[in-house]
Amino acid sequence: MGVPMPFSQLVCISILATAVCSFPEGVLAGPPYNLQMKSNNFRHILSWQAGSDPAGPASYTVLYKHHRIPNWVTARQCVGTAQLSCELTQDFQHWSVEYYVFVQSITGTQVFNSGVLRFIPLSHTFLGPPEVNITPCLKCINVTIKVPTSHFREKGKLLSLLDIYDHLQYEITLKSQEEEHKRPAEKITAQVFSTVIEDLYPNRNYCVSVEVSSRQNKLSIPSAWKCVPVGTEPRPGFHVAPVAGAVCVSLIIAAALKCMHAGGYFLQNKSLPHALELIRRLVYSSWILESEETDSVVVVHREVNAPACGGSDSDSDSEGSALWDQDYTRRVTLGRAVPSPEPPAQYSVDSPGKDSGGQAGDSLGTPGMEELPALGGDTDTGGDLLGPPSEGSCAYPARHSSACFTINLQTVLLGTLEGSRDSPAAALPSQEEEGHWECAHGLEAQHEVGTVQKALCGGAFQEWQSSESEESDSAESDTEQLSGYMRR
Amino acid sequence: MPALTSTQPRRSPGAPALLLLLTALTAALACQHLGTHQQTFPWDALRLLHHVAPNSTQPCQLHNAPFFPDTLLHTHLNPQQAAATALRILQHLFHTLATNATAQHWHAQPRHRLLNQLQHYIHHLQLCRPDSDSLFKGPRNPLLTINKYFSHIHLFLHAHNHSACAWDHVRLEARDCFLYVDRLTRQMKHRAAQDPTISTHRDLPASGSAGSQRKNGGRSSNLGGDLSETLRSFQPEH
């Protein structure tokens, strides 16, 4: 512990320290390492990394051999170079031979040999990329491929890959929107050739990449993607065909519609045939809606005297009884309240000659309607009238009133609501319904039915005048007849 | 006695000819099918030979090392002879590489795959191999040359105690063998497509020349030509 260190040991330590300090990094120089051969189309470039930094500049020499050469051979361009790479293209003159390569570095007096790299040009060089040009066509792509020229020289002449490899082939990778498809490999037979990729979707962008390979060498560099839209190449008169087609289709559709219209499948002319039109006019001549025209009439309750049809005096009507008024009002109101396609039965008191047949003015009054709205008044009232029978109403056969007389009012039903006794909605006349504005049987003979009928009808209804003595029964039968007559 | 011949059943006069025709047809079909397999075999084997070698292999040079005989490159063979020669080489290779010594020095997986491919290709060649005894006549019998070559290889290995360096040299010789077999099978396919009766003097030149190969319908033995140049290059190239 307390023994002093011998002087000799101190000297050794100092020498070692000096030696270590002579290297700035403090690490001994080493051989080159990480040898890599980058070969493309038989152009071979060897690169390496220098060993740990030497004290001085290092020179590098590349040596190679194969098993049939007894001695190592120095590369032509890499003797004493300071660079960290060397091209051996001209040195490797046998493409199927397995070469051994190493790098020797010389730093001052130190010589270092790297590890040995084994390299077979034919199997380890990367082939390609080929030159690719693509042009679009209709639903296809025309691809022109040029095989890359190798750097291998035979008797001073550059050889193509076709000359070196026994079976050279190419593969096209086709890429569209979402998918990528590699087409089957095909043999290359020429330095420059073209192929067409067919059955493509028009108006879609496609990208193409080509790579060249061989069964002897699968290492390849694919060409860069080249994209082109398919099917956008315009042709002469390209737009004529679709336009002509559209015009023809339009004409065909128009002709079909015309034929259908002529055949009456749609947009039918709703006008009646002449014969039916005539009948309609005759039947409804007195029932034609006066387009909402109504005359103000003062309804006065009195006994029914005057007939209601045709030429009925407004005066008399105005002096009519309440019965009259009631019915009158009812009918008028009904005519308004009922949205019927048929001309609603509307009786206008003051419409003497608006219809040829006279209007079926319903002069039948109904008793009991003391409170009657004025004409032209209320639909509400009409609605009310259409409602449950008011008291004393003679419009409902259920009620019999002494002030009523029998009137065949089936025609009223057409424009009004026969069944609408209960609701205003029953506006569409049901001609089969018995309900009619028939005054009760209580209506005595102050007005003969026939008279009334005569008064009611007008010419078109003459056939109603079948039974003068008939009361409700006959009226009913007439109603039926009328219903059948009026039924369309 | 003379009655015996009358009782013997008569043979169909066309039976031997038909039998011969069927045999030739079978052989031809087998050899045609061989062309498909030939497309990948030599190059798969060469790739595997590259991978069997350990990474730390250092080039070494031993004395009296055997080399592939150049005389074979100058021997013109018809398709049947080429097939027989290729079969003989592959059989020797399999016999040499399947020993336990290679298992000690080479990587196991590529070695196993190489031997499988070798055996498979030998089987295909045997299907279309004619009788080799009648194929070669004359002093330059390639089969004898091949036998002598592989004997030299076995002696070389024995002399160097099956060292790693000796096996590496044999590995590289096997590469040359596969390159030559590829040339032979190409000749078989090429010749069969043309006219089997073409005389051998029109065979492809031994020394590789790109122009001459193209005249013969594409490159067919550039590798062979390259092989001959390689085999002759005992001197370093500058």
Side-chain angles (χ1 to χ4, degrees), chain A residues 57 63 127 137 146 153 210 231 243 287 311 345 377 390 405 459 465:
Chain A
L63 296 100
L127 305 180
C137 49
K146 182 181 178 182
R153 287 183 182 272
V210 182
V243 171
W287 306 86
S390 58
F405 53 90
Q465 305 171 1

Side-chain angles (χ1 to χ4, degrees), chain A residues 172-465:
Chain A
I172 295 178
T173 304
L174 188 66
K175 182 171 69 174
S176 65
Q177 297 174 350
E178 296 95 9
E179 59 182 8
E180 189 173 312
H181 171 65
K182 203 166 191 177
R183 296 168 63 84
E186 296 187 22
K187 185 177 180 179
I188 297 176
T189 56
Q191 186 70 19
V192 182
F193 60 95
S194 295
T195 184
V196 178
I197 304 174
E198 298 178 341
D199 298 330
L200 301 178
Y201 290 104
N203 299 323
R204 183 181 286 189
N205 202 37
Y206 284 91
C207 299
V208 170
S209 174
V210 182
E211 60 181 37
V212 174
S213 64
S214 170
R215 66 184 185 206
Q216 302 147 351
N217 185 358
K218 298 296 183 183
L219 302 175
S220 63
I221 300 175
S223 66
W225 290 103
K226 285 199 174 182
C227 303
V228 71
V230 171
T232 58
E233 181 181 10
R235 282 186 173 182
F238 179 75
H239 299 288
V240 174
V243 171
V247 171
C248 291
V249 170
S250 302
L251 291 176
I252 292 172
I253 293 174
L257 292 174
K258 183 64 179 176
C259 291
M260 292 174 65
H261 174 64
Y265 288 98
F266 65 94
L267 295 180
Q268 295 177 5
N269 186 2
K270 294 185 178 180
S271 61
L272 295 172
H274 180 72
L276 293 179
E277 180 66 24
L278 179 62
I279 294 172
R280 184 186 70 84
R281 289 183 179 179
L282 294 176
V283 170
Y284 288 100
S285 59
S286 61
W287 306 86
I288 293 177
L289 179 64
E290 285 294 328
S291 65
E292 304 295 331
E293 293 182 0
T294 56
D295 297 331
S296 60
V297 175
V298 178
V299 178
V300 178
H301 178 75
R302 66 175 183 181
E303 292 182 358
V304 178
N305 291 322
C309 75
S312 57
D313 297 335
S314 59
D315 295 337
S316 61
D317 291 335
S318 61
E319 298 177 353
S321 63
L323 298 176
W324 284 59
D325 297 336
Q326 187 173 12
D327 276 340
Y328 198 88
T329 304
R330 181 180 306 108
R331 285 161 182 73
V332 170
T333 305
L334 288 175
R336 292 178 187 170
V338 174
S340 169
E342 306 297 333
Q346 184 172 5
Y347 304 92
S348 173
V349 175
D350 292 333
S351 57
K354 293 187 178 179
D355 294 326
S356 61
Q359 298 175 354
D362 186 5
S363 60
L364 294 177
T366 54
M369 299 297 293
E370 294 180 355
E371 297 180 356
L372 297 175
L375 288 177
D378 289 328
T379 52
D380 294 339
T381 307
D384 294 338
L385 291 174
L386 293 174
S390 58
E391 184 176 358
S393 170
C394 124
Y396 307 97
R399 298 183 180 272
H400 301 276
S401 171
S402 60
C404 300
F405 53 90
T406 301
I407 296 178
N408 191 347
L409 299 178
Q410 289 185 351
T411 54
V412 179
L413 301 178
L414 294 177
T416 58
L417 49 127
E418 185 37 60
S420 63
R421 279 181 225 155
D422 299 328
S423 64
L428 295 178
S430 173
Q431 300 172 359
E432 296 179 356
E433 292 183 2
E434 294 181 358
H436 53 272
W437 296 91
E438 177 186 8
C439 289
H441 301 295
L443 191 63
E444 295 299 331
Q446 291 195 6
H447 298 278
E448 293 180 358
V449 176
T451 305
V452 173
Q453 289 178 338
K454 287 181 183 178
L456 286 176
C457 63
F461 300 105
Q462 292 178 0
E463 55 200 62
W464 289 5
Q465 305 171 1

Side-chain angles (χ1 to χ4, degrees), chain A residues 160-173:
Chain A
S160 167
L161 295 179
L162 274 170
D163 299 325
I164 298 173
Y165 288 96
D166 175 44
H167 184 86
L168 202 63
Q169 61 187 18
Y170 70 97
E171 288 177 297
I172 295 178
T173 304

Side-chain angles (χ1 to χ4, degrees), chain A residues 12 135 140-141 166 190 321:
Chain A
C12 292
T135 53
C140 58
I141 294 177
D166 175 44
S321 63

Side-chain angles (χ1 to χ4, degrees), chain B residues 154-227:
Chain B
H154 286 281
L155 290 174
F156 170 78
L157 286 170
H158 182 75
H160 294 86
N161 296 323
H162 297 272
S163 64
C165 182
W167 274 112
D168 193 64
H169 181 83
V170 172
R171 180 182 69 84
L172 296 174
E173 288 299 310
R175 280 186 47 84
D176 293 340
C177 292
F178 281 120
L179 289 174
Y180 183 67
V181 166
D182 179 68
R183 180 187 181 186
L184 289 176
T185 51
R186 211 189 326 273
Q187 289 180 357
M188 291 161 50
K189 180 182 179 183
H190 182 70
R191 286 293 176 175
Q194 292 180 343
D195 187 358
T197 61
I198 293 176
S199 59
T200 56
H201 72 275
R202 291 183 58 184
D203 197 358
L204 296 170
S207 58
S209 171
S212 62
Q213 271 79 49
R214 281 193 289 270
K215 291 178 181 177
N216 287 277
R219 72 168 312 284
S220 58
S221 67
N222 257 1
L223 291 175
D226 180 71
L227 175 63

Side-chain angles (χ1 to χ4, degrees), chain A residues 64-74 76 91-100 114-116 118-120 122-124 152 154-155 157 159 161-167 215-217, chain B residues 38-40 43 49-50 53-55 57-61 67-68 70 168-169 171-173 175-176 179 182 186 208-210 214 219-220 222-223 226-227 229-231 233-238:
Chain A
Y64 68 94
K65 72 184 291 293
H66 55 79
H67 80 289
R68 282 184 169 268
I69 299 176
N71 301 318
W72 290 94
V73 180
T74 57
R76 302 179 187 183
D91 296 281
F92 294 165
Q93 294 188 354
H94 303 284
W95 60 61
S96 62
V97 171
E98 183 172 315
Y99 287 93
Y100 295 96
S114 68
V116 176
R118 293 185 296 142
F119 179 76
I120 303 173
L122 186 72
S123 303
H124 297 156
F152 189 90
E154 185 178 70
K155 297 180 182 179
K157 179 183 177 182
L159 295 185
L161 295 179
L162 274 170
D163 299 325
I164 298 173
Y165 288 96
D166 175 44
H167 184 86
R215 66 184 185 206
Q216 302 147 351
N217 185 358
Chain B
Q38 175 263 336
Q39 292 180 0
T40 58
W43 305 106
L49 272 178
H50 181 76
N55 297 332
T57 300
Q58 294 292 330
C60 56
Q61 200 70 28
F67 294 101
F68 192 85
D70 294 346
D168 193 64
H169 181 83
R171 180 182 69 84
L172 296 174
E173 288 299 310
R175 280 186 47 84
D176 293 340
L179 289 174
D182 179 68
R186 211 189 326 273
S209 171
R214 281 193 289 270
R219 72 168 312 284
S220 58
N222 257 1
L223 291 175
D226 180 71
L227 175 63
E229 289 293 329
T230 302
L231 295 178
S233 59
F234 292 100
Q235 299 298 324
E237 288 140 26
H238 300 277

Side-chain angles (χ1 to χ4, degrees), chain B residues 13 21-22 37 39 43 49 56 59 62 70 79 81 85 87 93 99 120 137 145-146 154 163 171 176 178 183-184:
Chain B
L21 178 62
L22 287 176
H37 185 78
Q39 292 180 0
W43 305 106
L49 272 178
S56 60
L62 298 176
D70 294 346
Q81 292 173 341
T85 304
L87 178 60
L93 272 178
T99 59
H120 186 66
K137 294 179 180 180
T145 305
I146 290 170
H154 286 281
S163 64
R171 180 182 69 84
D176 293 340
F178 281 120
R183 180 187 181 186
L184 289 176

